[in-house]
Amino acid sequence: MRILAIESSCDESAAAVYDGEQGLLSHALFSQIELHRLYGGVVPELASRDHIQRLLPLIDEALESAKTSASAIEGIAYTAGPGLIGALLCGSALARSLATAWRVPSLGIHHLEGHLLAPQLEPEPAPYPHVALLVSGGHTLLIEVKGLGRYRILGETRDDAAGEAFDKSAKLLGLPYPGGPQLAGLAQHGRLRRYSFPRPMLDRPGLEFSFSGLKTAVRQAAAAVEALPAEHRPQHRADIALELQEAVVETLVRKSLRALEATDLQTLVVSGGVSANLSLRAQMAKAAQQRGVRVYYPRQEFCTDNAAMIAVAGHARLSAGERDVSAMGARARWSLESLGVPTAT
Ligand code: KG4
Ligand code: ZN
């Protein structure tokens, strides 16, 4: 089965073509970073307006580079949630309209299932069962994954997501949106242990996360830097960035190991925007090697939002016969555990 996939849950517009036999044939993406930078974060209404302009040309681009005509498309998958409702509706309305016009089935996909399946685009997919650490701008979850659609949430964040901790700290350090990659870049120039930040929830048992306290610690440290002589400030900002990254990474690594122990599993998938972080990858690799754990990641460009991951999930479900049933094609909130295995509808 050959399908088209569309992603528009936040500030990336994307389209991809995926074939059951040949795998990913193409993917095209437009990031709205420049559009939102002026405001220091995503402005939902602007995101929706831009998705409307970008999606059709991106679909054309994806079809063209896959050397596929619309008539060869046998199904359309789109991100139905969770995300910004206006942005989601742009993708879902377009996907469902095209599906009607092309007389093919459509299916709304859970954005987080897309992230979970992104490493399956690599030559060696992660075997089931495994534990997944899903770390993005909106979510921080540890999940026991027994198979497609068989998800049990082991722990999640009580407040900010890991990506949010990066983004908000970056803002406090005067870095432009989106802060995660910028903060990681600044951290490369930092000196270790010049600052001391809390490791949230590490001292307690369990698999829950909490990152909002870190933001407060960074705010205080960043304010203190302003009192230093101007020539010392850049170095101190880099020190803070490094220590913030260390605190988040150590928490993610230790909790992931805890989840593997609790489930008696040896395979870990790390996905979502923050899985692009090189310090997280290095420290996770070290800890995993000591314990004989295999870790799987998406390639860098598929860590952050993209349509290729929606295509993988869409293909798995559409080819099993699953179809859209509800009239409304978007949900701002949607529980991952409610998904279930793909079934013909
Ligand atoms: O998965 P994603 O593209 O969007 C959501 O579904 O939320 O994740 C975006 C998040 C942002 O918070 C961004 O700052 C963070 O991922 N991020 C990073 C890095 N690259 C992206 N955080 C830390 N280090 C990075 N290299
Ligand atoms: Zn995402």
Side-chain angles (χ1 to χ4, degrees):
M1 188 180 203
R2 183 167 291 194
I3 69 154
L4 170 71
I6 296 171
E7 155 67 33
S8 71
S9 64
C10 189
D11 57 347
E12 262 98 23
S13 316
V17 178
Y18 186 94
D19 182 279
E21 267 149 39
Q22 298 167 46
L24 184 68
L25 297 182
S26 68
H27 65 99
L29 181 139
F30 180 84
S31 166
Q32 302 178 349
I33 283 175
E34 292 304 326
L35 178 68
H36 300 292
R37 182 160 277 163
L38 183 63
Y39 307 95
V42 179
V43 183
E45 185 58 27
L46 293 183
S48 308
R49 290 182 199 191
D50 207 55
H51 285 308
I52 292 171
Q53 288 182 357
R54 305 284 173 194
L55 285 172
L56 275 173
L58 285 165
I59 291 169
D60 280 341
E61 188 185 330
L63 289 173
E64 207 169 294
S65 60
K67 298 190 175 50
T68 299
S69 66
S71 60
I73 296 296
E74 296 162 276
I76 303 182
Y78 59 92
T79 305
L84 301 172
I85 193 67
L88 290 165
L89 281 167
C90 296
S92 74
L94 180 56
R96 293 166 74 111
S97 308
L98 283 177
T100 304
W102 295 351
R103 296 178 202 282
V104 296
S106 67
L107 182 65
I109 294 298
H110 196 294
H111 182 76
L112 299 187
E113 181 166 71
H115 276 304
L116 286 179
L117 297 185
Q120 312 296 23
L121 285 159
E122 301 313 306
E124 205 190 330
Y128 296 118
H130 57 248
V131 167
L133 170 69
L134 206 159
V135 270
S136 70
H139 295 87
T140 302
L141 294 164
L142 277 164
I143 307 156
E144 182 181 20
V145 182
K146 292 198 175 136
L148 182 72
R150 298 172 64 204
Y151 311 125
R152 184 166 72 94
I153 293 174
L154 302 167
E156 57 191 312
T157 183
R158 293 187 176 176
D159 38 58
D160 290 351
E164 241 176 321
F166 273 96
D167 293 342
K168 289 179 176 171
S169 301
K171 207 170 183 177
L172 290 166
L173 291 170
L175 296 170
Y177 159 87
Q182 305 266 350
L183 186 134
L186 181 60
Q188 287 182 340
H189 308 288
R191 300 164 299 182
L192 262 178
R193 281 180 275 285
R194 294 294 167 127
Y195 288 84
S196 168
F197 294 146
R199 272 33 176 179
M201 315 283 289
L202 267 192
D203 50 345
R204 285 184 236 168
L207 298 167
E208 303 283 296
F209 299 92
S210 165
F211 290 111
S212 66
L214 270 174
K215 192 175 49 197
T216 312
V218 169
R219 180 178 291 119
Q220 285 165 353
V225 166
E226 294 311 309
L228 295 175
E231 67 272 23
H232 294 318
R233 289 179 206 157
Q235 181 60 58
H236 279 264
R237 289 193 192 106
D239 298 342
I240 293 172
L242 176 61
E243 216 49 50
L244 179 276
Q245 179 172 263
E246 286 290 307
V248 174
V249 165
E250 190 189 335
T251 306
L252 295 176
V253 170
R254 300 248 311 259
K255 294 259 163 162
S256 300
L257 294 177
R258 228 182 250 181
L260 288 160
E261 261 165 44
T263 50
D264 204 16
L265 292 171
Q266 300 291 313
T267 310
L268 179 70
V269 158
V270 187
S271 65
V274 181
S275 69
N277 186 276
L278 297 178
S279 170
L280 173 65
R281 288 185 178 220
Q283 296 192 42
M284 195 68 92
K286 205 167 140 196
Q289 200 187 16
Q290 285 165 0
R291 287 169 177 77
V293 167
R294 268 303 291 274
V295 193
Y296 295 82
Y297 297 94
R299 77 189 74 158
Q300 285 281 331
E301 64 178 324
F302 294 155
C303 289
T304 44
D305 291 349
N306 64 86
M309 67 185 196
I310 302 304
V312 180
H315 178 267
R317 290 185 175 276
L318 280 164
S319 62
E322 200 169 317
R323 305 286 183 257
D324 264 338
V325 279
S326 67
M328 175 89 167
R331 311 170 190 197
R333 290 172 181 274
W334 188 3
S335 145
L336 185 67
E337 285 174 317
S338 70
L339 284 189
V341 297
T343 40
T345 39

